[in-house]
């Protein structure tokens, strides 16, 4: 029986080659899109799930304000947590990273070394290639290198026992002996640790051993018996009993607890990839996006559904031509159940054939997909789960596409089918096909609109006014190092002598990087009391010199910039003891703020803020300072354009500078050569590192560009599959109306009249699809645009919808017209000849 079913199915496929090809290719493309997205989603969701007891590993995050949570904490936190929750925390580790250079003989390599606790290797298991990780963490003079680092530093030489010198950015030197080479079990982790050594409690400086100082990331592995909800609920009590009141900022008001101001939270390690907060000092090099994953899943499902719809449309359309076959089978005794199984089996066979082709398409497309998404992916042929997923996918697609056609074919009446040469097409099937065509094109039009809107938003954002001029800016990094920091101003002056350098400025920032690793804030409030001015406002602090605003070309809204004739530089603050911030008191301190800070402080305009006094700290207590606002500048977007500019103050403290920015003219590469030459003249053999502001900002939009390209690809796939289905149904309809076309031609109808008549028949569902798709697309994209603080005018979505609708209509017209024209131009005698 099954052999007969199989033979019949193959014969039917060969008999209707065009429709079979459309069905199989449409399903294959949809399945390939589904497989590619499955590989992508699987890769994204697999981060940090490979660790032993991964569901019990958490990072401790610290909330420093209601609006802001950071991922780095005090070095005192982990020991205190272990004492307070002895039965809940099974093990814990701090990860404290130091940046600098590794020197081996005459070679220097930019590097970072993580100092960790002994529990690190228990929580984060690794494959040991050489040496011993246990011995590494028994001696603070030992170090473990990742496989990549060992190859970079030593090549083919066995690194075990070799000595490396690590020069920190603060000028200190540390020597380590290589004791192990390791490889993380999986590269899919947020831990960016090229090498690590023991965090020796006895060597932690007193300035860092403070609740005020945040440096390491803190990870804990909870015991299996721990109640996480209860643990979290006890954290406020832990804060109140453990953290000294004088270390909490801002100071608690009367009646406030310390836990009302500061808080800690637990974050599962496999959630960090999607929510890294401040990225941490050992944070991920890339960040995931659950929204994008959901969008890709929905779009790939739409593409696959459109492929299934093609199958339903064409199978039900061709069902009338198989009516006599069904009738004959029923006459000789076939039952409904047998016919149903036969036709459902044909659907599964077609799906299986499409799946085999989809694997070929996936393998061919995978290299391009990897390049587009900047990922390394592979089809896991050796995984049993892959075959279970393939079986599930083929079964579900085969059933979803074949159930209705099988039902329609199996219930044909043999009496009606044998009365004439051809069964009458069921009204219900005709209506269903129209509904499915409308759905196909509605989905395709929504994807086209989404693609155009995403592209317009990307274009708008990338051309948005940043508040400064990013063109022709070169940043020299690493000037905060102790062995070069004393020569900052000398370097600045020497660079200004170059003819291609028009300006140079020292600052603690460069676009996309803040404070060179030292993120500082200040709590200020206006000295004059008022309804809006009694609370302390947390503001980002930028340390700059006199030339910063001119170099970055930041506009002044009111007041003035810093002036060498009128303003005095402030001494560098002690970041670790803010309550005794300055040894030297400066009278008449002055600051420049941005517009966002002026508004946050309660001023109605930039002009109103100029001349006002703001204060930091409490009067009569250490750390209290008064500042006179001398200028308000426009908001500048140094970070991601997905975020609004933060309220910022600019303090005249060039001694905290981590970057030297120069504005140049001429060719960038030639400027780099001259700047590098001057650098080595001033700094000696210290490694030179530069960056181009324009290029740095371009990377901000790289992810959006990838997302947009993916949208374009999927939109084209959806339109392609939908048009294949429309082509197939048009070909079928035209074939069935051959006699009608012949009669019309004999009666004098022209080819263009026939094309117009049949074309309008197929354009009506596309027009209805536009009416349905436009409001859906506008609502969806309006919601999507809300995540951007800067977005183009939503009214532009109306012409975008019209444009997308015209594209869909044009595609549908040419798809149908070509088929219709072929038949309409044929000799009508052939169409009218008696069969």
């Amino acid at each position: 029986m099954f052999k007969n079913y199989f033979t019949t199915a193959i014969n039917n496929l060969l008999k209707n080659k065009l429709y079979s090809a459309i069905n199989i290719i449409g399903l294959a493309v949809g399945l390939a899109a589904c497989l590619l997205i499955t590989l992508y989603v699987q890769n994204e969701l697999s981060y940090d799930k490979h660790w032993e007891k991964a569901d019990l590993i958490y990072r401790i995050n610290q909330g420093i304000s209601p609006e802001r949570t950071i991922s780095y904490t005090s070095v005192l936190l982990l020991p205190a947590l272990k004492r307070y929750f002895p039965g809940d925390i099974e093990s814990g580790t701090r990860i404290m990273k130091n940046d600098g250079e590794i020197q081996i003989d005459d070679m220097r390599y930019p590097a970072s070394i993580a100092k960790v606790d002994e529990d690190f290797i228990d929580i984060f298991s690794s494959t040991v290639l050489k040496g011993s990780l246990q011995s590494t963490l028994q001696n603070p003079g030992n170090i473990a290198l990742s496989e990549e680092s060992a190859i970079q530093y030593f090549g083919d030489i066995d690194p075990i026992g070799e000595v490396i010198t690590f020069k920190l950015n603060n000028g200190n030197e540390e020597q380590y002996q290589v004791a192990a080479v390791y490889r993380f079990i999986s590269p899919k982790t947020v831990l960016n640790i090229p090498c690590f050594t023991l965090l020796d409690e006895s060597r932690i400086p007193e300035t860092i051993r403070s609740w005020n100082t945040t440096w390491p990331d803190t990870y804990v592995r909870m015991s299996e018996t721990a109640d996480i909800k209860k643990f979290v609920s006890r954290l406020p009590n832990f804060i109140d009993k453990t953290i000294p009141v004088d270390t909490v900022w801002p100071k608690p008001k009367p009646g406030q607890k310390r836990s009302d101001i500061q808080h800690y939270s637990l974050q599962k390690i496999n959630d960090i990839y999607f929510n890294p907060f401040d990225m941490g000092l050992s944070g991920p090099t890339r960040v995931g996006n659950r929204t994008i994953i959901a969008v890709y899943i929905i779009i790939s499902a739409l593409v696959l559904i459109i492929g299934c719809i093609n199958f339903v449309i064409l199978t039900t359309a061709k069902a009338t031509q198989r009516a006599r076959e069904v009738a004959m089978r029923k006459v000789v005794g076939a039952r409904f159940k047998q016919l149903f199984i036969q036709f459902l089996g044909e659907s599964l066979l077609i799906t299986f054939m499409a799946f085999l082709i989809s694997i070929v398409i996936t393998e061919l497309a995978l290299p391009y997909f990897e390049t587009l998404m900047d990922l390394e992916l592979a089809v896991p042929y050796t995984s049993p789960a892959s075959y279970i997923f393939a079986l599930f996918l083929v079964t579900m697609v085969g059933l979803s596409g074949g159930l209705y056609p099988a039902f329609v074919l199996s219930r044909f009446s043999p009496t009606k089918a044998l009365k004439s040469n051809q069964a009458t097409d069921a009204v219900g099937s005709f209506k269903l096909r129209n509904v499915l065509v409308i759905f196909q094109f509605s989905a395709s039009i929504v994807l086209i609109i989404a693609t155009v809107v995403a592209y317009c938003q990307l274009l708008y954002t990338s051309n948005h006014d940043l508040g400064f001029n990013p063109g022709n800016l070169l940043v020299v990094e690493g000037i905060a190092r102790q062995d070069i920091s004393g020569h900052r101003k000398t370097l600045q002056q020497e660079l200004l002598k170059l003819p291609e350098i028009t300006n140079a400025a020292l600052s603690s920032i460069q676009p996309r990087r803040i404070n060179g690793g030292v993120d500082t804030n200040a709590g200020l409030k206006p000295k004059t009391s008022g309804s809006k001015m009694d609370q302390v406002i947390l503001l980002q602090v930028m340390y700059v010199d006199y030339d910063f605003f001119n170099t970055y070309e930041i506009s002044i809204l009111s007041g003035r910039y810093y002036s060498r004739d009128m303003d005095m530089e402030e001494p560098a603050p002690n970041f670790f003891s803010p309550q005794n911030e300055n040894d030297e008191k400066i009278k008449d301190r002055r600051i420049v703020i941005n517009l966002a800070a002026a508004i946050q402080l309660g001023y109605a305009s930039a002009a109103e803020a100029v001349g006002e006094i703001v204060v930091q700290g409490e009067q009569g207590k250490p750390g209290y300072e008064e500042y006179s606002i001398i200028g308000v500048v426009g908001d500048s977007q140094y970070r991601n354009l997905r975020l609004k500019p933060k309220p910022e103050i600019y303090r005249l403290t060039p001694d905290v500078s981590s970057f030297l920015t120069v504005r140049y003219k001429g060719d960038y590469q030639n400027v780099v050569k001259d700047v590098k030459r001057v650098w080595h003249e001033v700094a000696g053999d210290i490694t030179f590192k530069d960056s181009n502001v324009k290029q740095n900002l371009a990377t901000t939009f790289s992810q959006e560009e990838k997302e947009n390209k993916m949208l374009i690809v999927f939109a084209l796939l959806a339109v392609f599959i939908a048009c294949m289905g429309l082509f197939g149904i048009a070909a079928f309809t035209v074939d069935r109306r051959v006699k009608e076309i012949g009669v019309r031609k004999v009666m004098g109808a022209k080819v263009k009249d026939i094309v117009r008549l049949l074309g309008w028949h197929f354009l009506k569902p596309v027009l209805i699809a536009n009416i349905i798709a436009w409001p859906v697309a506008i609502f969806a994209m309006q919601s999507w645009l809300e995540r951007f603080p800067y977005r183009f005018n939503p009214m532009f979505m109306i012409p975008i919808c019209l444009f997308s609708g015209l594209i869909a209509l044009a595609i549908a017209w040419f798809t149908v017209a070509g088929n219709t024209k072929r038949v309409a131009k044929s000799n009508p005698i052939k169409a009218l000849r008696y069969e």
Side-chain angles (χ1 to χ4, degrees):
M1 181 177 69
F2 288 105
K3 180 181 178 181
N4 177 261
Y5 288 168
F6 180 78
T7 303
T8 303
I10 295 297
N11 289 337
N12 185 60
L13 290 176
L14 295 175
K15 181 182 177 182
N16 302 284
K17 297 182 179 64
L18 174 64
Y19 305 103
S20 300
I22 291 174
N23 270 336
I24 293 173
I25 294 174
L27 279 178
V29 172
L31 287 166
C34 184
L35 291 177
L36 286 171
I37 292 302
T38 300
L39 292 175
Y40 169 76
V41 172
Q42 185 182 38
N43 178 81
E44 294 295 283
L45 297 180
S46 63
Y47 269 74
D48 289 297
K49 288 190 175 180
H50 56 277
W51 306 116
E52 183 181 359
K53 300 181 181 179
D55 57 328
L56 297 175
I57 301 175
Y58 294 85
R59 186 179 68 182
I60 309 292
N61 296 324
Q62 178 177 339
I64 60 174
S65 73
E67 301 82 19
R68 189 173 178 203
T69 298
I70 59 176
S71 60
Y72 32 98
T73 61
S74 167
V75 294
L76 302 176
L77 177 62
L78 181 61
L81 285 173
K82 284 184 173 181
R83 290 192 298 269
Y84 196 84
F85 301 97
D88 293 332
I89 297 178
E90 181 181 288
S91 53
T93 182
R94 295 160 292 183
I95 303 176
M96 183 185 295
K97 291 187 75 174
N98 292 278
D99 293 328
E101 291 181 337
I102 284 180
Q103 182 173 348
I104 302 172
D105 298 327
D106 296 331
M107 300 298 293
R108 292 189 176 192
Y109 307 91
S112 60
I113 292 180
K115 295 184 178 181
V116 302
D117 292 288
E118 292 183 30
D119 285 347
F120 176 82
I121 57 177
D122 294 327
I123 300 174
F124 304 112
S125 52
S126 306
T127 301
V128 182
L129 304 178
K130 294 178 181 179
S132 169
L133 293 179
Q134 286 75 13
S135 63
T136 300
L137 296 183
Q138 289 174 0
N139 185 345
N142 289 343
I143 192 169
L145 303 179
S146 67
E147 183 181 20
E148 295 80 5
S149 297
I151 294 173
Q152 180 186 8
Y153 303 151
F154 297 100
D156 297 332
I157 301 173
D158 186 354
I160 301 299
E162 296 289 336
V163 175
I164 63 175
T165 301
F166 183 59
K167 293 189 175 183
L168 285 79
N169 284 341
N170 61 13
N172 295 336
E173 287 190 5
E174 299 172 348
Q175 285 196 332
Y176 297 100
Q177 186 176 48
V178 180
V181 177
Y182 69 94
R183 181 199 302 138
F184 279 140
I185 294 175
S186 170
K188 296 172 185 176
T189 174
V190 297
L191 297 180
N192 178 24
I193 301 178
C195 48
F196 64 85
T197 185
L198 178 66
L199 175 59
D200 187 0
E201 290 279 354
S202 63
R203 297 187 182 184
I204 298 177
E206 286 301 320
T207 52
I208 298 177
R209 195 183 296 276
S210 165
W211 287 102
N212 288 324
T213 307
T214 55
W215 191 334
D217 286 351
T218 301
Y219 289 87
V220 295
R221 186 166 68 189
M222 308 298 289
S223 65
E224 295 182 358
T225 58
D227 186 332
I228 303 301
K229 291 184 178 179
K230 185 177 180 180
F231 180 92
V232 172
S233 67
R234 293 177 61 195
L235 283 173
N237 194 49
F238 161 78
I239 293 172
D240 293 331
K241 290 188 175 182
T242 307
I243 301 178
V245 67
D246 60 344
T247 63
V248 178
W249 188 93
K251 302 300 179 187
K253 295 179 181 178
Q256 267 191 327
K257 297 179 181 179
R258 281 162 281 183
S259 57
D260 293 332
I261 299 170
Q262 185 176 343
H263 69 271
Y264 293 106
S265 59
L266 295 182
Q267 183 181 20
K268 280 193 172 184
I269 188 169
N270 52 28
D271 183 54
I272 297 174
Y273 178 66
F274 298 100
N275 300 285
F277 293 107
D278 279 294
M279 300 294 284
L281 298 177
S282 60
T285 54
R286 56 176 285 137
V287 179
N289 188 323
R290 282 197 174 96
T291 302
I292 294 301
I293 289 176
V295 169
Y296 286 167
I297 291 174
I298 292 171
I299 293 175
S300 65
L302 279 176
V303 173
L304 185 56
I305 290 170
I306 290 173
C308 292
I309 287 174
N310 274 358
F311 181 83
V312 175
I313 291 174
L314 295 178
T315 305
T316 54
K318 295 291 289 182
T320 56
Q321 295 184 354
R322 300 190 68 181
R324 295 171 68 184
E325 173 194 339
V326 173
M328 291 301 298
R329 286 181 177 274
K330 284 190 173 184
V331 167
V332 298
R335 297 179 181 178
F336 172 84
K337 180 180 177 181
Q338 293 173 312
L339 293 169
F340 186 83
I341 293 174
Q342 175 193 346
F343 294 126
L344 195 60
E346 289 184 15
S347 171
L348 291 171
L349 175 63
I350 290 173
T351 305
F352 179 71
M353 295 170 67
F355 181 76
L356 295 179
I357 296 174
S358 73
I359 294 176
V360 177
I361 296 174
T362 300
E363 288 291 353
L364 293 174
L366 196 56
Y368 303 98
F369 186 75
E370 288 177 319
T371 302
L372 177 64
M373 302 305 295
D374 192 23
L375 293 171
E376 291 185 9
L377 303 171
V379 180
Y381 292 108
T382 58
S383 172
S386 300
Y387 294 94
I388 295 174
F389 173 77
L391 179 62
F392 172 79
L393 186 63
V394 170
T395 303
M396 291 302 297
V397 172
L399 292 177
S400 60
L403 278 174
Y404 181 77
F407 180 77
V408 170
L409 289 167
S410 303
R411 63 191 293 268
F412 273 134
S413 169
T415 305
K416 291 182 180 180
L418 295 175
K419 272 184 180 179
S420 61
N421 291 332
Q422 200 173 33
T424 304
D425 194 6
V427 175
S429 297
F430 177 76
K431 290 182 178 179
L432 176 67
R433 289 200 296 273
N434 278 339
V435 169
L436 294 178
V437 170
I438 291 170
F439 177 84
Q440 277 187 319
F441 275 90
S442 295
S444 301
I445 292 165
V446 168
L447 287 178
I448 293 172
I449 294 172
T451 302
V452 177
V453 170
Y455 175 78
C456 291
Q457 176 59 28
L458 177 63
L459 195 65
Y460 177 85
T461 306
S462 60
N463 290 288
H464 181 76
D465 183 12
L466 299 173
F468 69 97
N469 181 8
N472 289 31
L473 285 180
L474 181 152
V475 179
V476 179
E477 302 183 13
I479 64 171
R481 294 180 47 169
Q482 189 172 351
D483 44 5
I484 186 61
S485 60
H487 305 289
R488 289 186 182 106
K489 293 184 179 179
T490 302
L491 178 63
Q492 182 183 21
Q493 293 166 2
E494 291 299 316
L495 288 176
L496 284 170
K497 294 178 182 179
L498 296 174
E500 59 264 51
I501 303 299
T502 60
N503 220 325
L506 297 166
S507 66
S508 63
I509 66 164
Q510 69 151 313
R512 298 190 72 241
R513 287 187 61 182
I514 305 299
N515 295 319
V518 181
D519 194 359
T520 60
N521 301 277
L524 300 178
K525 67 177 181 179
K527 188 176 182 180
T528 305
S529 62
S531 60
K532 271 189 171 183
M533 303 184 178
D534 291 332
Q535 60 181 358
V536 174
I537 305 298
L538 190 66
L539 304 173
Q540 184 85 45
V541 180
M542 310 294 183
Y543 299 95
V544 301
D545 70 352
Y546 296 103
D547 301 305
F548 175 78
F549 299 108
N550 286 326
T551 301
Y552 275 83
E553 297 183 4
I554 298 173
S555 60
I556 187 81
L557 302 181
S558 185
R560 62 178 178 83
Y561 298 132
Y562 288 119
S563 168
R564 287 182 172 82
D565 299 329
M566 303 171 65
D567 306 305
M568 183 185 302
E569 292 181 3
E570 294 186 47
N574 183 345
F575 295 115
F576 306 121
S577 300
Q579 68 271 25
N580 299 309
E581 187 178 288
N582 300 297
D583 296 326
E584 177 188 353
K585 288 292 179 181
I586 297 179
K587 297 179 180 179
D588 191 22
R589 289 177 177 267
R590 300 169 182 178
I591 59 169
V592 174
I593 66 176
N594 69 350
L595 182 61
I599 294 173
Q600 278 283 87
L601 289 167
Y603 301 113
S605 65
E608 183 180 319
V610 174
E612 293 293 321
I613 305 295
V614 291
V615 300
Q616 177 178 352
E618 297 181 36
Q619 192 166 10
K621 294 186 178 181
Y624 175 79
E625 297 294 349
E626 294 186 0
Y627 296 89
S628 174
I629 301 175
I630 64 170
V632 178
V633 297
D635 295 334
S636 296
Q637 188 53 281
Y638 304 109
R639 301 172 185 82
N640 195 324
L641 282 173
R642 291 177 181 170
L643 306 173
K644 290 184 178 180
K646 289 187 177 182
E648 296 165 339
I649 63 173
Y650 299 87
R651 292 178 58 172
L652 187 59
T653 315
D655 287 343
V656 188
S657 303
S658 300
F659 307 100
L660 172 58
T661 305
V662 298
R663 183 166 291 281
Y664 64 90
K665 56 185 179 181
D667 181 67
Y668 176 74
Q669 297 300 329
N670 292 333
V671 173
V672 170
K673 291 179 182 177
D674 290 340
V675 172
K676 186 175 182 180
R677 174 178 54 79
V678 174
W679 167 273
H680 287 302
E681 289 175 358
V682 176
D685 62 347
I686 298 174
T687 303
F688 171 77
K689 186 178 181 182
D690 71 293
S691 61
N692 184 292
V693 172
K694 197 85 171 180
Q695 293 174 357
N696 287 348
L697 291 172
T699 61
T700 304
F701 307 105
S702 60
Q703 187 61 36
E704 282 86 352
E705 288 177 356
K706 293 173 185 175
E707 294 168 9
N708 197 55
K709 288 177 181 177
M710 282 294 295
L711 277 173
I712 292 173
V713 170
F714 280 110
L716 291 176
L717 286 178
V719 172
F720 170 73
I721 298 173
C723 286
M724 285 181 63
L726 191 64
F727 177 84
I729 193 67
F732 171 75
T733 303
V734 170
D735 287 344
R736 292 189 64 192
R737 299 177 69 173
V738 167
K739 284 190 177 182
E740 176 191 340
I741 293 171
V743 171
R744 288 181 181 274
K745 288 192 72 176
V746 169
M747 299 298 292
K750 297 180 180 179
V751 172
K752 65 179 182 179
D753 297 325
I754 296 172
V755 171
R756 188 184 303 116
L757 174 68
L758 295 182
W760 171 245
H761 172 78
F762 289 102
L763 287 184
K764 281 191 289 186
V766 181
L767 285 172
I768 297 172
N770 273 286
I771 296 172
I772 296 172
W774 290 355
V776 173
I778 289 174
F779 176 78
M781 297 314 294
Q782 187 75 15
S783 301
W784 179 77
L785 286 172
E786 287 178 359
R787 68 175 181 155
F788 296 94
Y790 310 103
R791 46 188 178 269
F792 71 95
N793 192 332
M795 293 301 293
F796 282 109
M797 278 200 274
I798 296 175
I800 289 174
C801 288
L802 292 171
F803 172 73
S804 302
L806 289 174
I807 290 178
L809 285 169
I811 292 173
W813 173 260
F814 285 112
T815 300
V816 173
N819 223 333
T820 308
K821 189 175 181 180
R822 172 182 58 82
V823 177
K825 291 179 70 175
S826 62
N827 191 337
I829 300 300
K830 295 180 179 179
L832 296 176
R833 183 179 298 156
Y834 181 78
E835 295 180 358

